[in-house]
Amino acid sequence: MRQVPDIVEYVEQTEAIRQKQSEQLAFDQDSETLEKQVRDLMQELEDIQEEVRGIWEFRRDYSNRDNLEALQEQKRRLTKWAM
């Protein structure tokens, strides 16, 4: 008959292995999270840059006030990511 190890003894024997495995998993998750956030930010920055180019390119088609409002909107989008 096989004897079941005491839970305290079992935890003491396996805790170091469990912690090492957890750290590896946490690292992988952090890396994926970082990668996704970087991708999202780069996409948002590209979109903002394209909008600002459009404002500049077509600035003569709109009033100065409209252009400034459009530019302010892009600044708001940009500062949203800074917080």
Side-chain angles (χ1 to χ4, degrees):
M1 179 181 225
R2 188 171 165 203
Q3 186 178 7
V4 177
D6 179 61
I7 189 70
V8 175
E9 182 182 322
Y10 178 78
V11 169
E12 287 174 355
Q13 292 173 354
T14 60
E15 183 62 17
I17 296 168
R18 188 196 67 76
Q19 285 183 358
K20 187 173 182 177
Q21 290 173 341
S22 292
E23 289 171 7
Q24 290 171 346
L25 293 174
F27 176 80
D28 291 342
Q29 290 172 352
D30 288 345
S31 178
E32 290 173 10
T33 301
L34 176 63
E35 185 178 332
K36 182 185 181 327
Q37 288 187 9
V38 167
R39 260 193 331 267
D40 291 348
L41 178 57
M42 289 176 67
Q43 181 63 52
E44 187 72 13
L45 291 172
E46 287 174 11
D47 290 348
I48 292 169
Q49 187 176 20
E50 189 63 33
E51 289 290 331
V52 170
R53 280 189 185 125
I55 293 167
W56 180 252
E57 184 177 341
F58 297 106
R59 68 188 178 279
R60 290 183 179 91
D61 296 342
Y62 298 94
S63 70
N64 195 40
R65 181 179 178 168
D66 288 343
N67 287 327
L68 288 172
E69 287 177 6
L71 189 57
Q72 287 297 335
E73 176 59 30
Q74 298 313 308
K75 287 180 182 180
R76 279 191 288 278
R77 286 178 64 192
L78 184 59
T79 56
K80 174 186 94 171
W81 285 91
M83 299 191 177

